[in-house]
Amino acid sequence: MKRTLGFGFACIVLVLGLLTACSGGGNSKQPSSGQNDSAGTSTNAPQNQTDNAPADEPAQEQVTIKFHTHGVEQQYNWSETIAAFEAKYPNIKVDLVTLSEKGDSQEALQKLDLAAASGEQLDVLMFSDPASYAQRVSIGMVAAIDEFIAKEGFNVADEYRVDTTLGGKVYALPGKFNPWYVLLNKDHLDTAGLPVPQDWTWDDFARYAKELTTDDHYGTYFHGPQNGGWMEFMKLHLGNRLDESTEFLKDDGSSNLDSPLFRKTLELRWQMEKEDQSAVPYADMLSQKLHYRTQFFNQDASMILIGSWMNSELGGTEQNPLDHHVAVAPYPKNDPSDPIGVTPVTTDFMAVAEKSKHKEEAYTFIRWYTTEGLANYGRNIPSWTRVDGSSLEKIIDSILADTLKPELVDKASLIHVLSNSKSGKIIPPVSYQSEVYKALNEEFELFILGEQNLDDTLKNMQDRVQKIIDSNK
């Protein structure tokens, strides 16, 4: 979409499009007082009064900011986190708006766009993926925060392990640092006589899946792509490159679909599902609406490639109890000589709404949350670079302690993977990235369902994506 579109019209167009588809710390400066024109109240934390201000200073007027998120309490510990923030900044109250009770990011995006189109108060916005973040920046929903960063005087690249820059400006700070890894049913591995991998390739992954497959379960389950989302499962071999593009587009905006690694991913998906029969069929995923959590915790699949947001559930939850031992392996490499631990990394993009009347207060919250907030109260590893190795085990212990059976988790393998994880080259997303995803997803389905061969699939993908690129120049 063009930035010249009016904000309201652009949001309405985006909403209609979505509805037709599926699916710092302590050096942050105290914000200046803002006009309190919000009637919202926090549902999470106790009331903090402004009479906590020093006696020789005038009490600051209390401001309420609304925080719209897809994140749920179980995974993010909002109640304790927001209470801690409000205790430190008693003039700022945070009204949490949970957009999906299931933590469904697509449902949350639809509701967020409806809220924006209807003129509701927006202050802090949380996006779960680069494409959603870039698209809302392109329509003017998100404010640049460079002035606040400059005022505070820090370098984003030094402070955080994930780059959120778009077009030379910073519109968000990264929250969690979630490298992708492989969850393993250790009981299944022991039965098959397979060790927990500490360094392996995609060939090893395919061999493990084949050896783990029995009459009772598959070796692995791929949760995507589907509905233009979960596209990580279409770039398996692309995902662990340090100096080359890990995306479908290169950093100059040109297509990366002619990469041999992209072809190898499609070949691997076909081999594992059709030839080895070690992966849950794609058609079953769609028709039965399968989910990676139930596939793993119900022991229907021995290995799950997924992001480490699963740390908070590894020991089992009330929704997904755990009855087997769990181990963790690193993201597989392309070649044995490749460095270990290079993996796709996901984060939460913590942003300030362009229409917010309390931008400084909103920035204060996202800066605090992405630093000491996550480090001390969150249930995810922060992107903040000040969290070193000595702090990692304490954070993991805290995360696992909130699960039902932490003793069933091989903590040593988890620490090994997380401490050695590093992000592959991050390519800033383009505003039309969702169009690219949709086209690729549609062609992949024709391929994996046996309706067109690999060569035709690659040609159609390249042609369709090039047309999208050309139309957005």
Side-chain angles (χ1 to χ4, degrees):
M1 295 185 184
K2 305 294 185 184
R3 293 193 63 119
T4 53
L5 287 174
F7 175 75
F9 176 73
C11 284
I12 292 172
V13 171
L14 182 58
V15 169
L16 292 176
L18 283 169
L19 292 179
T20 59
C22 296
S23 348
N27 64 346
S28 295
K29 297 184 179 180
Q30 188 82 350
S32 60
S33 62
Q35 183 177 356
N36 187 4
D37 58 358
S38 169
T41 58
S42 173
T43 58
N44 295 77
Q47 181 79 15
N48 290 301
Q49 302 297 331
T50 55
D51 56 10
N52 290 333
D56 58 345
E57 295 181 8
Q60 291 179 297
E61 184 177 3
Q62 192 173 82
V63 166
T64 296
I65 58 174
K66 283 187 174 288
F67 171 29
H68 288 71
T69 176
H70 65 277
V72 295
E73 175 67 21
Q74 177 184 323
Q75 291 183 316
Y76 285 88
N77 194 30
W78 292 130
S79 55
E80 188 176 2
T81 302
I82 290 175
F85 173 79
E86 291 180 340
K88 182 166 185 176
Y89 297 98
N91 66 303
I92 308 175
K93 289 194 64 64
V94 180
D95 185 1
L96 180 69
V97 181
T98 304
L99 295 166
S100 172
E101 294 182 0
K102 302 176 293 184
D104 187 317
S105 58
Q106 294 303 309
E107 177 188 5
L109 278 174
Q110 292 179 12
K111 291 182 178 179
L112 175 62
D113 292 330
L114 285 170
S118 61
E120 292 184 24
Q121 179 185 343
L122 301 176
D123 298 296
V124 174
L125 311 176
M126 186 182 201
F127 303 106
S128 66
D129 65 275
S132 300
Y133 161 59
Q135 193 168 23
R136 274 108 194 130
V137 168
S138 74
I139 64 168
M141 185 187 290
V142 183
I145 55 176
D146 300 84
E147 63 176 297
F148 300 116
I149 293 171
K151 183 178 179 181
E152 195 176 344
F154 67 91
N155 185 295
V156 176
D158 293 337
E159 283 282 290
Y160 298 99
R161 291 192 282 177
V162 179
D163 182 12
T164 58
T165 305
L166 283 176
K169 294 184 178 181
V170 179
Y171 293 89
L173 297 178
K176 62 193 179 187
F177 180 78
N178 276 347
W180 278 58
Y181 53 27
V182 180
L183 295 184
L184 305 164
N185 184 317
K186 193 172 185 300
D187 295 346
H188 288 180
L189 260 68
D190 291 344
T191 299
L194 296 170
V196 175
Q198 293 194 337
D199 185 3
W200 61 341
T201 65
W202 283 113
D203 289 340
D204 296 326
F205 179 88
R207 176 175 58 84
Y208 265 57
K210 189 174 182 178
E211 294 188 34
L212 288 166
T213 299
T214 70
D215 292 338
D216 296 326
H217 57 262
Y218 284 94
T220 195
Y221 166 78
F222 295 114
H223 192 57
Q226 51 177 302
N227 306 319
W230 296 100
M231 301 302 287
E232 292 86 355
F233 295 99
M234 268 186 64
K235 52 184 179 182
L236 302 179
H237 287 82
L238 288 171
N240 58 356
R241 310 302 290 164
L242 273 176
D243 301 317
E244 300 176 26
S245 177
T246 60
E247 295 291 339
F248 304 117
L249 302 180
K250 299 177 183 178
D251 50 7
D252 62 1
S254 62
S255 172
N256 194 35
L257 301 182
D258 58 354
S259 168
L261 296 177
F262 181 60
R263 183 186 183 97
K264 287 185 69 173
T265 294
L266 300 186
E267 290 174 339
L268 180 67
R269 291 294 304 268
W270 181 270
Q271 171 199 329
M272 295 185 68
E273 178 176 331
K274 306 298 185 181
E275 299 172 9
D276 298 345
Q277 297 183 355
S278 61
V280 176
Y282 185 83
D284 289 358
M285 180 197 73
L286 295 180
S287 63
Q288 300 177 33
K289 298 182 179 179
L290 301 179
H291 197 276
Y292 61 86
R293 287 185 174 91
T294 51
Q295 286 289 294
F296 185 70
F297 287 104
N298 291 348
Q299 304 193 63
D300 294 321
S302 301
M303 304 190 300
I304 299 288
L305 178 69
I306 202 65
S308 56
W309 59 80
M310 288 297 294
N311 290 344
S312 62
E313 303 176 46
L314 291 187
T317 63
E318 292 183 3
Q319 293 82 2
N320 294 293
L322 179 67
D323 295 315
H324 61 275
H325 291 84
V326 174
V328 183
Y331 193 87
K333 306 186 302 186
N334 293 318
D335 299 306
S337 60
D338 290 342
I340 187 174
V342 182
T343 177
V345 171
T346 59
T347 189
D348 289 318
F349 295 84
M350 303 296 299
V352 175
E354 177 61 42
K355 295 292 186 180
S356 173
K357 296 181 180 179
H358 310 296
K359 287 187 176 67
E360 189 167 359
E361 289 81 2
Y363 169 79
T364 297
F365 175 72
I366 68 171
R367 174 65 169 147
W368 177 89
Y369 172 71
T370 58
T371 53
E372 62 182 272
L374 257 178
N376 296 324
Y377 307 101
R379 289 178 178 158
N380 292 284
I381 308 299
S383 295
W384 193 29
T385 55
R386 298 192 196 181
V387 176
D388 56 22
S390 63
S391 305
L392 182 60
E393 185 170 359
K394 293 180 181 178
I395 295 175
I396 290 174
D397 285 338
S398 176
I399 292 171
L400 293 179
D402 287 328
T403 64
L404 297 181
K405 297 179 180 178
E407 69 276 6
L408 294 182
V409 179
D410 182 351
K411 191 177 73 172
S413 67
L414 176 61
I415 291 175
H416 169 76
V417 169
L418 294 178
S419 61
N420 285 285
S421 293
K422 38 191 169 289
S423 174
K425 185 176 182 180
I426 296 175
I427 306 299
V430 294
S431 60
Y432 50 89
Q433 195 136 335
S434 59
E435 297 177 58
V436 172
Y437 287 175
K438 182 176 182 292
L440 293 176
N441 197 153
E442 290 172 353
E443 296 298 329
F444 175 82
E445 286 194 3
L446 293 174
F447 165 68
I448 204 67
L449 297 177
E451 298 180 29
Q452 69 183 12
N453 63 37
L454 177 58
D455 289 334
D456 288 343
T457 297
L458 285 168
K459 183 179 185 307
N460 291 342
M461 285 178 168
Q462 292 166 0
D463 290 346
R464 291 185 64 179
V465 168
Q466 191 58 52
K467 287 179 181 178
I468 294 171
I469 294 172
D470 294 340
S471 66
N472 283 275
K473 287 183 178 178

